[in-house]
Amino acid sequence: MKTRIRLIVAALLVAGLMPFAGLAQGTRKTSSRRAHKKPPAVVQAHAYRARGIKYETEVQHVYDSGMADGVKVAVFKYKNGDWTGVSEGETFTAGDKVRLQFVSNFDGHVYILNVRPNGGKRVLFPYPGKGSNLVSSGATYIWPEIGAWVFDNEPGKEVLQVILSKDPVAIYDEAVKRPNGDLEESAANAAAQLASGGQKKKDNGFIAQDTTLSELPGYHARTLKYVAGKKKNETVAVISNPESTVTPGKLDTNQVAALQIQLDHREKK
Protein backbone atom coordinates (compact mmCIF):
# COMPACT_ATOMS: atom_id res chain seq x y z
CA MET A 1 0.00 0.00 0.00
CA LYS A 2 2.75 2.43 0.94
CA THR A 3 4.58 1.53 -2.23
CA ARG A 4 1.43 2.24 -4.30
CA ILE A 5 0.96 5.63 -2.61
CA ARG A 6 4.59 6.51 -3.26
CA LEU A 7 4.16 5.64 -6.95
CA ILE A 8 0.97 7.72 -7.27
CA VAL A 9 2.62 10.76 -5.57
CA ALA A 10 5.67 10.40 -7.80
CA ALA A 11 3.47 10.23 -10.90
CA LEU A 12 1.55 13.34 -9.84
CA LEU A 13 4.76 15.23 -9.22
CA VAL A 14 6.14 14.31 -12.63
CA ALA A 15 2.86 15.25 -14.34
CA GLY A 16 2.78 18.59 -12.50
CA LEU A 17 6.35 19.51 -13.34
CA MET A 18 6.17 18.76 -17.05
CA PRO A 19 4.03 21.79 -18.04
CA PHE A 20 6.32 24.12 -16.08
CA ALA A 21 9.35 22.64 -17.75
CA GLY A 22 7.74 23.13 -21.14
CA LEU A 23 6.83 26.76 -20.33
CA ALA A 24 10.33 27.53 -19.12
CA GLN A 25 11.82 26.06 -22.28
CA GLY A 26 9.40 28.06 -24.42
CA THR A 27 10.33 31.26 -22.59
CA ARG A 28 14.03 30.66 -23.23
CA LYS A 29 13.38 30.19 -26.95
CA THR A 30 11.37 33.42 -27.12
CA SER A 31 14.14 35.35 -25.36
CA SER A 32 16.66 33.91 -27.77
CA ARG A 33 14.61 35.02 -30.78
CA ARG A 34 14.19 38.54 -29.39
CA ALA A 35 17.92 38.86 -28.75
CA HIS A 36 18.63 38.31 -32.44
CA LYS A 37 16.03 40.68 -33.84
CA LYS A 38 18.45 43.69 -33.88
CA PRO A 39 21.34 43.02 -36.27
CA PRO A 40 24.84 44.31 -35.43
CA ALA A 41 24.83 46.53 -38.54
CA VAL A 42 22.19 48.79 -37.00
CA VAL A 43 24.37 49.41 -33.97
CA GLN A 44 27.38 50.16 -36.16
CA ALA A 45 25.44 52.62 -38.30
CA HIS A 46 24.26 54.44 -35.19
CA ALA A 47 27.84 54.63 -33.92
CA TYR A 48 29.00 56.27 -37.16
CA ARG A 49 26.16 58.78 -37.02
CA ALA A 50 27.02 59.64 -33.43
CA ARG A 51 30.65 60.23 -34.36
CA GLY A 52 29.61 62.57 -37.17
CA ILE A 53 27.27 64.50 -34.89
CA LYS A 54 30.06 64.90 -32.33
CA TYR A 55 32.44 66.26 -34.97
CA GLU A 56 29.85 68.76 -36.21
CA THR A 57 29.00 69.79 -32.66
CA GLU A 58 32.68 70.37 -31.83
CA VAL A 59 33.24 72.60 -34.89
CA GLN A 60 30.13 74.63 -34.11
CA HIS A 61 31.03 74.82 -30.42
CA VAL A 62 34.59 76.07 -30.88
CA TYR A 63 33.27 78.68 -33.33
CA ASP A 64 30.48 79.89 -31.03
CA SER A 65 32.74 79.94 -27.97
CA GLY A 66 35.61 81.69 -29.76
CA MET A 67 38.02 78.91 -28.80
CA ALA A 68 39.15 78.90 -32.45
CA ASP A 69 39.23 81.71 -34.99
CA GLY A 70 36.73 81.06 -37.74
CA VAL A 71 34.08 82.28 -40.14
CA LYS A 72 30.50 81.50 -41.19
CA VAL A 73 29.88 81.77 -44.94
CA ALA A 74 26.76 81.57 -47.09
CA VAL A 75 26.29 82.10 -50.86
CA PHE A 76 23.04 83.51 -52.24
CA LYS A 77 21.72 83.55 -55.80
CA TYR A 78 19.12 85.99 -57.08
CA LYS A 79 16.23 84.13 -58.69
CA ASN A 80 12.46 84.50 -58.90
CA GLY A 81 12.72 88.01 -57.47
CA ASP A 82 14.49 87.02 -54.25
CA TRP A 83 17.87 86.02 -52.80
CA THR A 84 17.98 82.26 -52.27
CA GLY A 85 20.70 80.25 -50.52
CA VAL A 86 22.80 78.18 -52.92
CA SER A 87 22.11 74.46 -52.56
CA GLU A 88 24.19 71.44 -53.56
CA GLY A 89 24.48 70.98 -57.31
CA GLU A 90 23.63 74.62 -58.13
CA THR A 91 24.85 75.81 -61.55
CA PHE A 92 25.33 79.31 -62.91
CA THR A 93 25.17 80.90 -66.35
CA ALA A 94 26.01 84.33 -67.78
CA GLY A 95 23.94 87.03 -66.13
CA ASP A 96 23.31 85.16 -62.86
CA LYS A 97 23.74 87.30 -59.76
CA VAL A 98 25.27 86.13 -56.47
CA ARG A 99 26.12 87.53 -53.05
CA LEU A 100 28.39 86.30 -50.31
CA GLN A 101 27.55 86.70 -46.63
CA PHE A 102 30.08 86.07 -43.88
CA VAL A 103 30.48 86.48 -40.13
CA SER A 104 33.88 86.33 -38.39
CA ASN A 105 34.16 85.32 -34.73
CA PHE A 106 37.39 87.31 -34.25
CA ASP A 107 38.63 90.84 -34.88
CA GLY A 108 40.92 90.72 -37.88
CA HIS A 109 41.02 90.93 -41.66
CA VAL A 110 39.07 89.09 -44.35
CA TYR A 111 39.94 89.16 -48.05
CA ILE A 112 37.79 87.78 -50.87
CA LEU A 113 39.69 86.73 -53.98
CA ASN A 114 38.43 85.48 -57.34
CA VAL A 115 40.29 82.92 -59.45
CA ARG A 116 38.76 83.19 -62.92
CA PRO A 117 38.41 80.24 -65.35
CA ASN A 118 41.38 81.59 -67.39
CA GLY A 119 43.59 81.52 -64.28
CA GLY A 120 43.61 85.26 -63.57
CA LYS A 121 43.38 86.25 -59.92
CA ARG A 122 42.04 89.43 -58.34
CA VAL A 123 41.00 90.85 -54.98
CA LEU A 124 37.26 91.57 -54.72
CA PHE A 125 37.07 92.56 -51.04
CA PRO A 126 37.99 95.09 -49.84
CA TYR A 127 36.70 96.97 -52.85
CA PRO A 128 39.41 98.15 -55.29
CA GLY A 129 40.44 101.72 -54.65
CA LYS A 130 38.50 102.17 -51.40
CA GLY A 131 37.16 100.57 -48.26
CA SER A 132 38.67 98.45 -45.51
CA ASN A 133 38.63 94.73 -44.84
CA LEU A 134 38.96 95.07 -41.08
CA VAL A 135 36.12 93.02 -39.60
CA SER A 136 34.68 92.85 -36.11
CA SER A 137 33.73 89.70 -34.25
CA GLY A 138 30.05 88.84 -34.62
CA ALA A 139 29.26 91.43 -37.30
CA THR A 140 27.53 90.30 -40.51
CA TYR A 141 29.08 91.40 -43.80
CA ILE A 142 27.55 91.14 -47.27
CA TRP A 143 29.62 91.29 -50.43
CA PRO A 144 28.93 93.19 -52.60
CA GLU A 145 27.30 95.72 -50.26
CA ILE A 146 25.28 97.15 -53.14
CA GLY A 147 24.11 95.21 -56.18
CA ALA A 148 25.51 91.77 -56.94
CA TRP A 149 28.40 89.86 -58.45
CA VAL A 150 27.32 89.03 -62.01
CA PHE A 151 28.60 86.04 -64.00
CA ASP A 152 30.16 87.02 -67.34
CA ASN A 153 30.20 85.10 -70.63
CA GLU A 154 33.27 83.01 -69.76
CA PRO A 155 32.10 79.54 -68.56
CA GLY A 156 34.23 77.34 -66.34
CA LYS A 157 34.99 77.01 -62.64
CA GLU A 158 34.63 80.32 -60.84
CA VAL A 159 36.43 80.25 -57.51
CA LEU A 160 35.99 82.58 -54.55
CA GLN A 161 38.63 82.37 -51.83
CA VAL A 162 37.80 83.74 -48.38
CA ILE A 163 41.13 84.55 -46.72
CA LEU A 164 41.33 84.97 -42.94
CA SER A 165 44.21 86.87 -41.37
CA LYS A 166 44.93 88.53 -38.03
CA ASP A 167 46.90 91.32 -39.69
CA PRO A 168 46.81 93.08 -43.09
CA VAL A 169 48.39 91.16 -46.00
CA ALA A 170 50.55 93.56 -48.01
CA ILE A 171 50.28 91.85 -51.42
CA TYR A 172 46.48 91.93 -51.30
CA ASP A 173 46.42 95.52 -50.07
CA GLU A 174 48.63 96.53 -53.01
CA ALA A 175 46.29 94.75 -55.44
CA VAL A 176 43.31 96.68 -54.04
CA LYS A 177 44.95 99.93 -55.20
CA ARG A 178 44.67 98.80 -58.83
CA PRO A 179 41.43 99.48 -60.76
CA ASN A 180 40.40 95.81 -61.04
CA GLY A 181 42.21 94.50 -57.97
CA ASP A 182 44.38 92.21 -60.14
CA LEU A 183 47.30 90.41 -58.51
CA GLU A 184 50.70 90.62 -60.17
CA GLU A 185 50.83 86.90 -60.75
CA SER A 186 50.97 84.95 -63.98
CA ALA A 187 47.77 83.26 -65.15
CA ALA A 188 49.69 80.00 -65.49
CA ASN A 189 50.69 79.98 -61.82
CA ALA A 190 47.18 80.79 -60.67
CA ALA A 191 45.69 78.07 -62.87
CA ALA A 192 48.25 75.54 -61.61
CA GLN A 193 47.41 76.44 -58.02
CA LEU A 194 43.70 75.91 -58.70
CA ALA A 195 44.26 72.57 -60.42
CA SER A 196 46.50 71.27 -57.62
CA GLY A 197 44.01 72.11 -54.87
CA GLY A 198 42.05 68.89 -55.26
CA GLN A 199 38.44 68.42 -54.27
CA LYS A 200 37.92 67.23 -50.71
CA LYS A 201 34.29 67.68 -49.87
CA LYS A 202 31.06 69.16 -51.16
CA ASP A 203 28.96 71.34 -48.88
CA ASN A 204 25.88 73.40 -49.67
CA GLY A 205 26.46 73.51 -53.41
CA PHE A 206 30.11 74.59 -53.31
CA ILE A 207 33.40 72.88 -52.65
CA ALA A 208 35.26 73.96 -49.53
CA GLN A 209 38.90 72.99 -49.16
CA ASP A 210 42.26 74.04 -47.79
CA THR A 211 44.09 76.11 -50.36
CA THR A 212 47.80 76.64 -50.99
CA LEU A 213 48.30 80.36 -51.51
CA SER A 214 51.36 80.44 -53.77
CA GLU A 215 51.41 84.24 -53.88
CA LEU A 216 52.13 84.50 -50.13
CA PRO A 217 55.74 83.41 -49.52
CA GLY A 218 56.68 83.62 -45.87
CA TYR A 219 53.11 83.00 -44.68
CA HIS A 220 51.96 79.79 -43.01
CA ALA A 221 48.60 78.48 -44.24
CA ARG A 222 46.50 77.07 -41.37
CA THR A 223 44.05 74.18 -41.78
CA LEU A 224 40.31 74.83 -41.62
CA LYS A 225 37.73 72.30 -40.39
CA TYR A 226 34.24 72.99 -41.65
CA VAL A 227 30.66 71.69 -41.35
CA ALA A 228 27.17 72.71 -42.39
CA GLY A 229 25.95 75.48 -40.09
CA LYS A 230 22.78 75.83 -38.05
CA LYS A 231 21.11 77.79 -40.83
CA LYS A 232 20.38 76.30 -44.24
CA ASN A 233 23.08 76.83 -46.88
CA GLU A 234 25.60 78.07 -44.30
CA THR A 235 29.09 76.70 -43.72
CA VAL A 236 31.04 77.10 -40.47
CA ALA A 237 34.84 76.87 -40.63
CA VAL A 238 37.37 77.05 -37.79
CA ILE A 239 41.15 76.97 -37.47
CA SER A 240 42.34 73.49 -36.48
CA ASN A 241 45.22 71.06 -36.88
CA PRO A 242 45.30 68.59 -39.81
CA GLU A 243 44.34 65.48 -37.78
CA SER A 244 40.81 64.05 -37.91
CA THR A 245 39.69 65.48 -34.55
CA VAL A 246 38.88 69.14 -33.97
CA THR A 247 41.79 70.93 -32.28
CA PRO A 248 40.93 74.61 -31.71
CA GLY A 249 43.51 77.11 -32.91
CA LYS A 250 44.13 80.83 -33.25
CA LEU A 251 45.70 82.78 -36.08
CA ASP A 252 49.07 84.36 -35.37
CA THR A 253 51.24 86.88 -37.20
CA ASN A 254 52.10 85.78 -40.77
CA GLN A 255 49.42 83.09 -40.69
CA VAL A 256 46.42 82.86 -43.00
CA ALA A 257 43.59 80.41 -43.62
CA ALA A 258 41.56 80.05 -46.82
CA LEU A 259 38.08 78.71 -47.44
CA GLN A 260 37.60 78.03 -51.14
CA ILE A 261 34.20 78.24 -52.81
CA GLN A 262 33.95 76.73 -56.28
CA LEU A 263 30.96 77.70 -58.44
CA ASP A 264 29.97 75.77 -61.56
CA HIS A 265 29.71 78.35 -64.35
CA ARG A 266 28.15 76.72 -67.43
CA GLU A 267 27.56 77.93 -70.96
CA LYS A 268 24.10 79.36 -71.54
CA LYS A 269 21.93 77.12 -73.73
Side-chain angles (χ1 to χ4, degrees), residues 146-186:
I146 301 173
W149 190 54
V150 184
F151 280 81
D152 57 20
N153 293 313
E154 187 180 359
K157 295 295 182 183
E158 289 280 0
V159 172
L160 298 177
Q161 293 177 340
V162 181
I163 313 295
L164 310 181
S165 174
K166 204 73 176 177
D167 304 301
V169 179
I171 190 171
Y172 296 149
D173 290 338
E174 286 298 318
V176 170
K177 297 175 183 177
R178 304 183 189 104
N180 296 320
D182 290 326
L183 286 173
E184 291 184 345
E185 179 186 33
S186 70

Side-chain angles (χ1 to χ4, degrees), residues 181-209:
D182 290 326
L183 286 173
E184 291 184 345
E185 179 186 33
S186 70
N189 286 342
Q193 172 197 334
L194 176 60
S196 65
Q199 298 181 3
K200 288 186 179 181
K201 184 179 177 181
K202 277 192 173 182
D203 275 324
N204 304 331
F206 50 82
I207 297 169
Q209 62 191 29

